[in-house]
Amino acid sequence: MAAAVFLPVTAATVVPLLALAGLGLGIFVPANNTVIMRSTADSSASLLGGLVNMARGIGTTLGIALMALALHLGDLGHPGHGYAEAAQARPAFIVLAVVSAAAAAIALASRAQPRGQAAQEADPSGA
């Protein structure tokens, strides 16, 4: 999506970028869910599954709200033109790129914890 910041905002550029994003999500989400669900004991799998679905729903809701806000803020400089103008869509794509980069940085920072440490915290006896 960062490419949408630099490319002209037209249907010819946005549709392929959205298709690429959809392909990426289709590859990432099942693998991510598998890793998450394998990281817990069978007795807490239902709780973790519910948390994963809740996080996905919150992320979807906040993402839609954030993009609508960015499109609205882009409209402030060009009143009366609606949301279809490229000048209004560019700030929305910039916001999307910044938020995506921040989410990636948070995800990478959370992976810095050694694997064995999480298991030891869950079971202090070391068994």
Side-chain angles (χ1 to χ4, degrees):
M1 280 297 158
V5 173
F6 305 107
L7 295 173
V9 181
T10 66
T13 58
V14 172
V15 171
L17 289 174
L18 288 175
L20 183 62
L23 178 65
L25 284 171
I27 292 170
F28 171 77
V29 170
N32 185 50
N33 287 348
T34 300
V35 170
I36 290 170
M37 295 308 292
R38 285 187 178 172
S39 70
T40 189
D42 290 343
S43 61
S44 59
S46 61
L47 173 67
L48 188 59
L51 290 172
V52 167
N53 283 324
M54 181 185 66
R56 186 180 306 121
I58 290 171
T60 300
T61 303
L62 289 177
I64 292 169
L66 184 62
M67 288 304 293
L69 176 64
L71 286 169
H72 174 71
L73 292 176
D75 187 41
L76 292 179
H78 307 87
H81 293 288
Y83 293 125
E85 299 287 325
Q88 291 130 319
R90 188 161 314 281
F93 284 118
I94 291 171
V95 168
L96 178 62
V98 168
V99 170
S100 298
I106 291 168
L108 289 174
S110 69
R111 290 192 51 93
Q113 180 182 17
R115 289 180 175 242
Q117 186 176 352
Q120 289 173 356
E121 289 173 3
D123 185 13
S125 68

